[in-house]
PDB file of all heavy atoms in Angstrom:
ATOM      1  N   MET S 109      41.664 -25.843 -29.074  1.00  0.00           N
ATOM      2  CA  MET S 109      41.392 -27.247 -28.843  1.00  0.00           C
ATOM      3  C   MET S 109      40.683 -27.791 -30.103  1.00  0.00           C
ATOM      4  O   MET S 109      39.742 -27.242 -30.609  1.00  0.00           O
ATOM      5  CB  MET S 109      40.455 -27.423 -27.665  1.00  0.00           C
ATOM      6  CG  MET S 109      40.313 -28.855 -27.204  1.00  0.00           C
ATOM      7  SD  MET S 109      39.399 -28.928 -25.642  1.00  0.00           S
ATOM      8  CE  MET S 109      40.582 -28.127 -24.557  1.00  0.00           C
ATOM      9  N   LYS S 110      41.133 -28.917 -30.564  1.00  0.00           N
ATOM     10  CA  LYS S 110      40.615 -29.456 -31.813  1.00  0.00           C
ATOM     11  C   LYS S 110      39.262 -30.090 -31.603  1.00  0.00           C
ATOM     12  O   LYS S 110      38.966 -30.674 -30.567  1.00  0.00           O
ATOM     13  CB  LYS S 110      41.613 -30.494 -32.373  1.00  0.00           C
ATOM     14  CG  LYS S 110      42.953 -29.876 -32.739  1.00  0.00           C
ATOM     15  CD  LYS S 110      43.897 -30.934 -33.285  1.00  0.00           C
ATOM     16  CE  LYS S 110      45.246 -30.353 -33.633  1.00  0.00           C
ATOM     17  NZ  LYS S 110      46.167 -31.379 -34.130  1.00  0.00           N
ATOM     18  N   ASN S 111      38.471 -30.055 -32.674  1.00  0.00           N
ATOM     19  CA  ASN S 111      37.110 -30.605 -32.580  1.00  0.00           C
ATOM     20  C   ASN S 111      37.101 -32.085 -32.273  1.00  0.00           C
ATOM     21  O   ASN S 111      36.273 -32.592 -31.562  1.00  0.00           O
ATOM     22  CB  ASN S 111      36.359 -30.361 -33.904  1.00  0.00           C
ATOM     23  CG  ASN S 111      35.901 -28.920 -34.007  1.00  0.00           C
ATOM     24  OD1 ASN S 111      36.180 -28.107 -33.146  1.00  0.00           O
ATOM     25  ND2 ASN S 111      35.194 -28.621 -35.072  1.00  0.00           N
ATOM     26  N   LYS S 112      38.072 -32.831 -32.851  1.00  0.00           N
ATOM     27  CA  LYS S 112      38.062 -34.269 -32.669  1.00  0.00           C
ATOM     28  C   LYS S 112      38.285 -34.655 -31.212  1.00  0.00           C
ATOM     29  O   LYS S 112      37.920 -35.759 -30.796  1.00  0.00           O
ATOM     30  CB  LYS S 112      39.139 -34.902 -33.549  1.00  0.00           C
ATOM     31  CG  LYS S 112      40.580 -34.515 -33.190  1.00  0.00           C
ATOM     32  CD  LYS S 112      41.579 -35.169 -34.120  1.00  0.00           C
ATOM     33  CE  LYS S 112      43.016 -34.814 -33.757  1.00  0.00           C
ATOM     34  NZ  LYS S 112      43.974 -35.468 -34.642  1.00  0.00           N
ATOM     35  N   GLU S 113      38.875 -33.788 -30.383  1.00  0.00           N
ATOM     36  CA  GLU S 113      39.086 -34.099 -28.997  1.00  0.00           C
ATOM     37  C   GLU S 113      37.767 -34.011 -28.201  1.00  0.00           C
ATOM     38  O   GLU S 113      37.715 -34.529 -27.094  1.00  0.00           O
ATOM     39  CB  GLU S 113      40.112 -33.113 -28.405  1.00  0.00           C
ATOM     40  CG  GLU S 113      41.496 -33.248 -29.023  1.00  0.00           C
ATOM     41  CD  GLU S 113      42.476 -32.252 -28.419  1.00  0.00           C
ATOM     42  OE1 GLU S 113      42.031 -31.399 -27.626  1.00  0.00           O
ATOM     43  OE2 GLU S 113      43.669 -32.322 -28.728  1.00  0.00           O
ATOM     44  N   HIS S 114      36.772 -33.373 -28.739  1.00  0.00           N
ATOM     45  CA  HIS S 114      35.505 -33.244 -28.046  1.00  0.00           C
ATOM     46  C   HIS S 114      34.650 -34.477 -28.232  1.00  0.00           C
ATOM     47  O   HIS S 114      33.798 -34.778 -27.385  1.00  0.00           O
ATOM     48  CB  HIS S 114      34.757 -32.003 -28.591  1.00  0.00           C
ATOM     49  CG  HIS S 114      35.322 -30.736 -28.072  1.00  0.00           C
ATOM     50  ND1 HIS S 114      34.869 -30.096 -26.939  1.00  0.00           N
ATOM     51  CD2 HIS S 114      36.293 -29.935 -28.582  1.00  0.00           C
ATOM     52  CE1 HIS S 114      35.532 -28.988 -26.742  1.00  0.00           C
ATOM     53  NE2 HIS S 114      36.389 -28.881 -27.746  1.00  0.00           N
ATOM     54  N   PHE S 115      34.805 -35.221 -29.281  1.00  0.00           N
ATOM     55  CA  PHE S 115      33.967 -36.380 -29.563  1.00  0.00           C
ATOM     56  C   PHE S 115      34.857 -37.612 -29.597  1.00  0.00           C
ATOM     57  O   PHE S 115      35.123 -38.173 -30.641  1.00  0.00           O
ATOM     58  CB  PHE S 115      33.241 -36.185 -30.896  1.00  0.00           C
ATOM     59  CG  PHE S 115      32.566 -34.857 -31.009  1.00  0.00           C
ATOM     60  CD1 PHE S 115      32.979 -33.925 -31.936  1.00  0.00           C
ATOM     61  CD2 PHE S 115      31.503 -34.548 -30.188  1.00  0.00           C
ATOM     62  CE1 PHE S 115      32.372 -32.692 -32.046  1.00  0.00           C
ATOM     63  CE2 PHE S 115      30.875 -33.313 -30.272  1.00  0.00           C
ATOM     64  CZ  PHE S 115      31.292 -32.383 -31.208  1.00  0.00           C
ATOM     65  N   LYS S 116      35.259 -38.020 -28.426  1.00  0.00           N
ATOM     66  CA  LYS S 116      36.177 -39.157 -28.284  1.00  0.00           C
ATOM     67  C   LYS S 116      35.610 -40.120 -27.282  1.00  0.00           C
ATOM     68  O   LYS S 116      35.321 -39.786 -26.156  1.00  0.00           O
ATOM     69  CB  LYS S 116      37.561 -38.660 -27.860  1.00  0.00           C
ATOM     70  CG  LYS S 116      38.598 -39.773 -27.773  1.00  0.00           C
ATOM     71  CD  LYS S 116      39.930 -39.232 -27.349  1.00  0.00           C
ATOM     72  CE  LYS S 116      40.985 -40.341 -27.225  1.00  0.00           C
ATOM     73  NZ  LYS S 116      42.279 -39.800 -26.778  1.00  0.00           N
ATOM     74  N   PHE S 117      35.461 -41.377 -27.723  1.00  0.00           N
ATOM     75  CA  PHE S 117      34.906 -42.393 -26.845  1.00  0.00           C
ATOM     76  C   PHE S 117      35.960 -42.865 -25.853  1.00  0.00           C
ATOM     77  O   PHE S 117      37.125 -43.047 -26.216  1.00  0.00           O
ATOM     78  CB  PHE S 117      34.393 -43.577 -27.627  1.00  0.00           C
ATOM     79  CG  PHE S 117      33.786 -44.644 -26.752  1.00  0.00           C
ATOM     80  CD1 PHE S 117      32.474 -44.532 -26.347  1.00  0.00           C
ATOM     81  CD2 PHE S 117      34.523 -45.733 -26.377  1.00  0.00           C
ATOM     82  CE1 PHE S 117      31.886 -45.488 -25.546  1.00  0.00           C
ATOM     83  CE2 PHE S 117      33.949 -46.725 -25.579  1.00  0.00           C
ATOM     84  CZ  PHE S 117      32.654 -46.592 -25.163  1.00  0.00           C
ATOM     85  N   SER S 118      35.561 -43.052 -24.600  1.00  0.00           N
ATOM     86  CA  SER S 118      36.452 -43.558 -23.569  1.00  0.00           C
ATOM     87  C   SER S 118      35.626 -44.428 -22.620  1.00  0.00           C
ATOM     88  O   SER S 118      34.409 -44.504 -22.718  1.00  0.00           O
ATOM     89  CB  SER S 118      37.116 -42.406 -22.790  1.00  0.00           C
ATOM     90  OG  SER S 118      36.142 -41.640 -22.097  1.00  0.00           O
ATOM     91  N   VAL S 121      32.727 -42.813 -20.637  1.00  0.00           N
ATOM     92  CA  VAL S 121      31.468 -42.476 -21.307  1.00  0.00           C
ATOM     93  C   VAL S 121      30.370 -43.456 -20.871  1.00  0.00           C
ATOM     94  O   VAL S 121      29.188 -43.051 -20.720  1.00  0.00           O
ATOM     95  CB  VAL S 121      31.641 -42.494 -22.825  1.00  0.00           C
ATOM     96  CG1 VAL S 121      30.320 -42.333 -23.546  1.00  0.00           C
ATOM     97  CG2 VAL S 121      32.620 -41.378 -23.234  1.00  0.00           C
ATOM     98  N   THR S 187      25.266 -40.384 -20.585  1.00  0.00           N
ATOM     99  CA  THR S 187      26.185 -40.937 -21.594  1.00  0.00           C
ATOM    100  C   THR S 187      26.461 -39.927 -22.696  1.00  0.00           C
ATOM    101  O   THR S 187      27.589 -39.723 -23.106  1.00  0.00           O
ATOM    102  CB  THR S 187      25.609 -42.223 -22.202  1.00  0.00           C
ATOM    103  OG1 THR S 187      25.448 -43.209 -21.169  1.00  0.00           O
ATOM    104  CG2 THR S 187      26.564 -42.801 -23.255  1.00  0.00           C
ATOM    105  N   ALA S 188      25.396 -39.289 -23.178  1.00  0.00           N
ATOM    106  CA  ALA S 188      25.554 -38.246 -24.218  1.00  0.00           C
ATOM    107  C   ALA S 188      26.390 -37.088 -23.688  1.00  0.00           C
ATOM    108  O   ALA S 188      27.195 -36.521 -24.409  1.00  0.00           O
ATOM    109  CB  ALA S 188      24.193 -37.782 -24.667  1.00  0.00           C
ATOM    110  N   LEU S 189      26.185 -36.756 -22.423  1.00  0.00           N
ATOM    111  CA  LEU S 189      26.929 -35.646 -21.832  1.00  0.00           C
ATOM    112  C   LEU S 189      28.413 -35.939 -21.788  1.00  0.00           C
ATOM    113  O   LEU S 189      29.215 -35.100 -22.176  1.00  0.00           O
ATOM    114  CB  LEU S 189      26.434 -35.378 -20.407  1.00  0.00           C
ATOM    115  CG  LEU S 189      27.106 -34.249 -19.651  1.00  0.00           C
ATOM    116  CD1 LEU S 189      26.742 -32.894 -20.248  1.00  0.00           C
ATOM    117  CD2 LEU S 189      26.744 -34.276 -18.167  1.00  0.00           C
ATOM    118  N   PHE S 190      28.798 -37.135 -21.367  1.00  0.00           N
ATOM    119  CA  PHE S 190      30.237 -37.484 -21.280  1.00  0.00           C
ATOM    120  C   PHE S 190      30.871 -37.678 -22.650  1.00  0.00           C
ATOM    121  O   PHE S 190      32.085 -37.555 -22.782  1.00  0.00           O
ATOM    122  CB  PHE S 190      30.404 -38.736 -20.407  1.00  0.00           C
ATOM    123  CG  PHE S 190      30.387 -38.463 -18.951  1.00  0.00           C
ATOM    124  CD1 PHE S 190      29.258 -38.710 -18.189  1.00  0.00           C
ATOM    125  CD2 PHE S 190      31.519 -37.940 -18.317  1.00  0.00           C
ATOM    126  CE1 PHE S 190      29.226 -38.446 -16.843  1.00  0.00           C
ATOM    127  CE2 PHE S 190      31.494 -37.673 -16.960  1.00  0.00           C
ATOM    128  CZ  PHE S 190      30.358 -37.929 -16.212  1.00  0.00           C
ATOM    129  N   TYR S 191      30.083 -37.978 -23.666  1.00  0.00           N
ATOM    130  CA  TYR S 191      30.666 -38.147 -24.991  1.00  0.00           C
ATOM    131  C   TYR S 191      30.778 -36.820 -25.726  1.00  0.00           C
ATOM    132  O   TYR S 191      31.827 -36.484 -26.262  1.00  0.00           O
ATOM    133  CB  TYR S 191      29.813 -39.115 -25.816  1.00  0.00           C
ATOM    134  CG  TYR S 191      30.382 -39.315 -27.220  1.00  0.00           C
ATOM    135  CD1 TYR S 191      31.480 -40.149 -27.403  1.00  0.00           C
ATOM    136  CD2 TYR S 191      29.819 -38.680 -28.318  1.00  0.00           C
ATOM    137  CE1 TYR S 191      31.997 -40.345 -28.682  1.00  0.00           C
ATOM    138  CE2 TYR S 191      30.363 -38.849 -29.590  1.00  0.00           C
ATOM    139  CZ  TYR S 191      31.428 -39.695 -29.778  1.00  0.00           C
ATOM    140  OH  TYR S 191      31.957 -39.861 -31.017  1.00  0.00           O
ATOM    141  N   PHE S 192      29.733 -36.029 -25.742  1.00  0.00           N
ATOM    142  CA  PHE S 192      29.691 -34.788 -26.491  1.00  0.00           C
ATOM    143  C   PHE S 192      30.261 -33.604 -25.754  1.00  0.00           C
ATOM    144  O   PHE S 192      30.766 -32.640 -26.353  1.00  0.00           O
ATOM    145  CB  PHE S 192      28.271 -34.473 -26.958  1.00  0.00           C
ATOM    146  CG  PHE S 192      27.736 -35.400 -27.991  1.00  0.00           C
ATOM    147  CD1 PHE S 192      26.955 -36.482 -27.633  1.00  0.00           C
ATOM    148  CD2 PHE S 192      28.023 -35.198 -29.337  1.00  0.00           C
ATOM    149  CE1 PHE S 192      26.443 -37.345 -28.575  1.00  0.00           C
ATOM    150  CE2 PHE S 192      27.523 -36.051 -30.314  1.00  0.00           C
ATOM    151  CZ  PHE S 192      26.744 -37.129 -29.923  1.00  0.00           C
ATOM    152  N   TYR S 193      30.210 -33.640 -24.421  1.00  0.00           N
ATOM    153  CA  TYR S 193      30.678 -32.513 -23.613  1.00  0.00           C
ATOM    154  C   TYR S 193      31.575 -33.000 -22.477  1.00  0.00           C
ATOM    155  O   TYR S 193      31.445 -32.568 -21.338  1.00  0.00           O
ATOM    156  CB  TYR S 193      29.481 -31.756 -23.004  1.00  0.00           C
ATOM    157  CG  TYR S 193      28.500 -31.228 -24.014  1.00  0.00           C
ATOM    158  CD1 TYR S 193      27.324 -31.912 -24.301  1.00  0.00           C
ATOM    159  CD2 TYR S 193      28.757 -30.056 -24.704  1.00  0.00           C
ATOM    160  CE1 TYR S 193      26.411 -31.427 -25.209  1.00  0.00           C
ATOM    161  CE2 TYR S 193      27.861 -29.566 -25.646  1.00  0.00           C
ATOM    162  CZ  TYR S 193      26.677 -30.257 -25.892  1.00  0.00           C
ATOM    163  OH  TYR S 193      25.763 -29.790 -26.810  1.00  0.00           O
ATOM    164  N   ARG S 194      32.480 -33.882 -22.793  1.00  0.00           N
ATOM    165  CA  ARG S 194      33.271 -34.542 -21.725  1.00  0.00           C
ATOM    166  C   ARG S 194      34.124 -33.557 -20.923  1.00  0.00           C
ATOM    167  O   ARG S 194      34.432 -33.816 -19.783  1.00  0.00           O
ATOM    168  CB  ARG S 194      34.161 -35.636 -22.316  1.00  0.00           C
ATOM    169  CG  ARG S 194      35.269 -35.158 -23.240  1.00  0.00           C
ATOM    170  CD  ARG S 194      35.904 -36.361 -23.932  1.00  0.00           C
ATOM    171  NE  ARG S 194      37.049 -35.945 -24.755  1.00  0.00           N
ATOM    172  CZ  ARG S 194      38.295 -35.992 -24.330  1.00  0.00           C
ATOM    173  NH1 ARG S 194      38.571 -36.379 -23.114  1.00  0.00           N
ATOM    174  NH2 ARG S 194      39.298 -35.620 -25.125  1.00  0.00           N
ATOM    175  N   HIS S 195      34.517 -32.429 -21.508  1.00  0.00           N
ATOM    176  CA  HIS S 195      35.368 -31.476 -20.810  1.00  0.00           C
ATOM    177  C   HIS S 195      34.619 -30.703 -19.750  1.00  0.00           C
ATOM    178  O   HIS S 195      35.247 -30.151 -18.836  1.00  0.00           O
ATOM    179  CB  HIS S 195      35.996 -30.492 -21.800  1.00  0.00           C
ATOM    180  CG  HIS S 195      36.912 -31.147 -22.795  1.00  0.00           C
ATOM    181  ND1 HIS S 195      38.164 -31.600 -22.466  1.00  0.00           N
ATOM    182  CD2 HIS S 195      36.766 -31.436 -24.113  1.00  0.00           C
ATOM    183  CE1 HIS S 195      38.742 -32.154 -23.499  1.00  0.00           C
ATOM    184  NE2 HIS S 195      37.898 -32.047 -24.538  1.00  0.00           N
ATOM    185  N   ILE S 196      33.321 -30.667 -19.837  1.00  0.00           N
ATOM    186  CA  ILE S 196      32.518 -29.930 -18.833  1.00  0.00           C
ATOM    187  C   ILE S 196      31.474 -30.832 -18.200  1.00  0.00           C
ATOM    188  O   ILE S 196      30.589 -30.312 -17.463  1.00  0.00           O
ATOM    189  CB  ILE S 196      31.830 -28.697 -19.478  1.00  0.00           C
ATOM    190  CG1 ILE S 196      30.949 -29.137 -20.655  1.00  0.00           C
ATOM    191  CG2 ILE S 196      32.846 -27.672 -19.910  1.00  0.00           C
ATOM    192  CD1 ILE S 196      30.146 -28.024 -21.250  1.00  0.00           C
ATOM    193  N   ALA S 197      31.523 -32.115 -18.416  1.00  0.00           N
ATOM    194  CA  ALA S 197      30.501 -33.032 -17.951  1.00  0.00           C
ATOM    195  C   ALA S 197      30.351 -33.006 -16.408  1.00  0.00           C
ATOM    196  O   ALA S 197      29.252 -32.900 -15.888  1.00  0.00           O
ATOM    197  CB  ALA S 197      30.775 -34.454 -18.418  1.00  0.00           C
ATOM    198  N   TRP S 198      31.488 -33.090 -15.710  1.00  0.00           N
ATOM    199  CA  TRP S 198      31.427 -33.100 -14.253  1.00  0.00           C
ATOM    200  C   TRP S 198      30.926 -31.762 -13.707  1.00  0.00           C
ATOM    201  O   TRP S 198      30.210 -31.744 -12.682  1.00  0.00           O
ATOM    202  CB  TRP S 198      32.811 -33.430 -13.680  1.00  0.00           C
ATOM    203  CG  TRP S 198      33.178 -34.867 -13.837  1.00  0.00           C
ATOM    204  CD1 TRP S 198      34.136 -35.389 -14.670  1.00  0.00           C
ATOM    205  CD2 TRP S 198      32.594 -35.991 -13.183  1.00  0.00           C
ATOM    206  NE1 TRP S 198      34.188 -36.746 -14.588  1.00  0.00           N
ATOM    207  CE2 TRP S 198      33.257 -37.159 -13.662  1.00  0.00           C
ATOM    208  CE3 TRP S 198      31.567 -36.146 -12.245  1.00  0.00           C
ATOM    209  CZ2 TRP S 198      32.917 -38.425 -13.224  1.00  0.00           C
ATOM    210  CZ3 TRP S 198      31.241 -37.413 -11.803  1.00  0.00           C
ATOM    211  CH2 TRP S 198      31.922 -38.550 -12.293  1.00  0.00           C
ATOM    212  N   LYS S 199      31.270 -30.687 -14.345  1.00  0.00           N
ATOM    213  CA  LYS S 199      30.772 -29.366 -13.901  1.00  0.00           C
ATOM    214  C   LYS S 199      29.243 -29.326 -14.033  1.00  0.00           C
ATOM    215  O   LYS S 199      28.544 -28.822 -13.124  1.00  0.00           O
ATOM    216  CB  LYS S 199      31.419 -28.268 -14.729  1.00  0.00           C
ATOM    217  CG  LYS S 199      32.907 -28.110 -14.518  1.00  0.00           C
ATOM    218  CD  LYS S 199      33.412 -26.982 -15.389  1.00  0.00           C
ATOM    219  CE  LYS S 199      34.943 -26.826 -15.294  1.00  0.00           C
ATOM    220  NZ  LYS S 199      35.447 -25.751 -16.173  1.00  0.00           N
ATOM    221  N   GLU S 294      33.294 -23.437 -23.879  1.00  0.00           N
ATOM    222  CA  GLU S 294      33.975 -24.678 -23.567  1.00  0.00           C
ATOM    223  C   GLU S 294      33.421 -25.843 -24.331  1.00  0.00           C
ATOM    224  O   GLU S 294      33.305 -26.959 -23.812  1.00  0.00           O
ATOM    225  CB  GLU S 294      33.915 -24.947 -22.067  1.00  0.00           C
ATOM    226  CG  GLU S 294      34.564 -23.851 -21.238  1.00  0.00           C
ATOM    227  CD  GLU S 294      34.572 -24.200 -19.749  1.00  0.00           C
ATOM    228  OE1 GLU S 294      35.036 -25.283 -19.409  1.00  0.00           O
ATOM    229  OE2 GLU S 294      34.094 -23.386 -18.960  1.00  0.00           O
TER     230      GLU S 294
END
Side-chain angles (χ1 to χ4, degrees):
M109 191 172 293
K110 296 180 180 179
N111 284 3
K112 64 180 182 180
E113 295 179 354
H114 285 268
F115 311 113
K116 183 180 179 181
F117 182 82
S118 64
V121 172
T187 299
L189 180 70
F190 278 101
Y191 181 77
F192 290 95
Y193 302 100
R194 66 190 184 95
H195 296 287
I196 57 175
W198 287 109
K199 295 179 182 178
E294 300 184 53

